[in-house]
Amino acid sequence: MKNFDSSRLCEILKDSKRAVLFCHESPDYDSIISCLLMRNILTQMGVSSEIYSVDKIPENFKEGEQDFKIKESADVNKLNLENFDVMFALDINDIARLGFRNEFKSRIVVINIDHHQELNNINSRLSWLDTTFSSTSEMLFYLSLDLNIKIEKELIQLILLAILTDTDMFNYVASGRVFKTVGTLIEQGANYEAANFKVMRQNTLDQFGFWAEMLKNMKKDDRFGFVYTMINNESFKKYNHLLQATRKVADNFARTVKGTNFGLVMVEAKPNELKVSIRSRIMKFGVIELLKELGGGGHLDGGGATITGMEFDDAVNYVLNKTREFVKKRE
Ligand SMILES: [Mn+2]
């Protein structure tokens, strides 16, 4: 398979009995589903596995699904990795995203499969990194086909969900391949309408309340060509239960404003912890350098960062200054 030595994977798994898999922090559908797909591969290759998630699995995801036996809200720092032969780092380019608080020192064999923008700091025995894929789940779909692994209909449906959410309904990575993949999934029994319903029609009224507040706060910087909006922790508290709050405002609104190149969303999720989401309005405009500058990462045209240890106003000004410097440098 292109860019990936699946025979090397088989070799490693031949010597492995127990594997450990992790969802990343604030797990999104792709993070969860890539773990389920890898577990399916492992099971059929005779390797037992456990899936841990440092955070809770979203209720919207679990609704109407079987029990996937993922160990949620797990204290991954207390886990003894020596009980396992191999560890999978899926859908991440930084091991800290799995919830490890300290420097990752374990010598366990790590296999890393991911579609995020370069800058991968994971010390892995085997890796497959390809930013042209819509999602890690799409990569694992092709890996499963390559290894002749059977995928049950329920998992086929989940792969479709991972693609719809990670591309934000084909707003990103709308490649020929991803449409072909979706075509294949539907031919194999995936139900597009059910997936669309699960992804697009689950809004609660307080979701709209939050959006209303974020839209009211939105400002346009005409000189530097972007919009931004923000909310402090005091006002955000009542919306704290909303998932992917920052990201959704960025996807749905901040990157759609006429006359701008990109949009920026800042949410003080905890006191002195500002979550930032940035999205290009103009595709290939590229905001990854700004994200890196802010200590975050993601894809060429979108991603996130977290600014810690600053009061809300200071953190917002810090981000805006960095943003204007970033634009100025490119002019
Ligand atoms: Mn992903």
Side-chain angles (χ1 to χ4, degrees):
M1 205 158 64
K2 210 176 138 227
N3 297 332
F4 187 63
D5 189 354
S6 41
S7 61
R8 188 79 192 89
L9 174 71
C10 295
E11 258 169 55
I12 294 175
L13 293 182
K14 216 165 54 195
D15 297 327
S16 308
K17 284 197 178 68
R18 298 186 68 195
V20 63
L21 297 82
F22 296 92
C23 301
H24 62 61
E25 297 164 311
S26 325
D28 59 10
Y29 284 19
D30 189 32
S31 169
I32 304 162
I33 293 162
S34 46
C35 283
L36 299 176
L37 280 163
M38 188 45 81
R39 177 166 71 189
N40 184 51
I41 293 174
L42 290 167
T43 305
Q44 292 187 42
M45 293 179 86
V47 181
S48 78
S49 58
E50 285 173 29
I51 305 176
Y52 292 88
S53 171
V54 63
D55 289 326
K56 270 184 78 70
I57 301 296
E59 288 303 322
N60 275 350
F61 176 79
K62 289 199 274 190
E63 216 170 76
E65 307 286 348
Q66 51 172 296
D67 178 4
F68 291 115
K69 305 209 161 47
I70 297 173
K71 296 174 180 70
E72 294 178 63
S73 311
D75 189 349
V76 299
N77 293 283
K78 288 214 178 110
L79 206 64
N80 186 1
L81 292 176
E82 283 173 22
N83 291 337
F84 302 96
D85 305 307
V86 58
M87 161 175 166
F88 284 86
L90 305 171
D91 200 37
I92 51 156
N93 52 7
D94 179 353
I95 210 97
R97 289 274 287 137
L98 302 181
F100 293 104
R101 269 193 308 272
N102 307 313
E103 199 193 333
F104 188 76
K105 289 207 184 91
S106 168
R107 283 158 63 196
I108 189 170
V109 172
V110 175
I111 298 174
N112 178 209
I113 300 177
D114 184 37
H115 69 123
H116 289 86
Q117 198 71 13
E118 300 81 340
L119 208 93
N120 188 297
N121 73 1
I122 297 174
N123 189 0
S124 53
R125 177 78 56 92
L126 179 67
S127 69
W128 181 21
L129 309 174
D130 191 333
T131 60
T132 69
F133 277 96
S134 68
S135 52
T136 305
S137 300
E138 190 189 12
M139 297 169 84
L140 294 181
F141 174 59
Y142 286 106
L143 178 62
S144 303
L145 296 182
D146 194 59
L147 297 172
N148 270 319
I149 298 289
K150 187 172 165 32
I151 311 177
E152 297 293 341
K153 206 170 153 187
E154 288 73 19
L155 263 181
I156 291 284
Q157 180 71 11
L158 291 177
I159 301 168
L160 177 58
L161 278 177
I163 292 175
L164 293 185
T165 48
D166 252 38
T167 62
D168 184 32
M169 306 306 283
F170 304 110
N171 276 311
Y172 305 104
V173 204
S175 64
R177 179 181 51 209
V178 76
F179 285 106
K180 276 184 205 148
T181 308
V182 169
T184 308
L185 292 170
I186 291 172
E187 279 165 10
Q188 292 188 12
N191 180 334
Y192 189 90
E193 198 174 311
N196 183 289
F197 182 82
K198 191 169 170 107
V199 176
M200 298 301 291
R201 284 170 257 172
Q202 305 297 336
N203 287 323
T204 53
L205 286 188
D206 57 344
Q207 173 77 73
F208 292 124
F210 172 60
W211 286 347
E213 222 161 301
M214 294 306 274
L215 291 174
K216 206 176 65 203
N217 294 344
M218 193 174 282
K219 293 186 177 64
K220 188 163 168 231
D221 185 325
D222 285 308
R223 162 65 184 89
F224 291 97
F226 69 100
V227 287
Y228 60 97
T229 179
M230 63 270 180
I231 188 166
N232 64 22
N233 187 253
E234 193 51 41
S235 312
F236 180 67
K237 260 187 223 153
K238 57 179 175 292
Y239 304 119
N240 213 354
H241 58 285
L242 298 175
L243 292 161
Q244 316 278 359
T246 323
R247 170 175 165 170
K248 280 193 197 167
V249 174
D251 279 332
N252 293 343
F253 308 108
R255 65 177 202 87
T256 68
V257 182
K258 200 168 176 174
T260 65
N261 291 316
F262 63 98
L264 209 148
V265 178
M266 296 172 273
V267 173
E268 193 183 24
K270 294 177 197 153
N272 297 346
E273 187 183 309
L274 189 74
K275 290 217 176 282
V276 184
S277 269
I278 308 178
R279 297 287 184 277
S280 298
R281 168 172 174 257
I282 307 294
M283 286 319 216
K284 302 224 166 66
F285 175 80
V287 290
I288 186 75
E289 291 307 321
L290 174 57
L291 285 158
K292 285 185 201 165
E293 184 71 30
L294 296 170
H299 304 276
L300 176 67
D301 282 311
T306 307
I307 311 292
T308 51
M310 273 189 233
E311 303 264 339
F312 176 70
D313 289 340
D314 293 338
V316 167
N317 281 330
Y318 173 79
V319 172
L320 291 177
N321 286 336
K322 286 279 179 205
T323 304
R324 288 168 185 140
E325 271 170 36
F326 159 78
V327 176
K328 214 165 190 175
K329 242 187 277 169
R330 297 168 51 122
E331 286 174 349

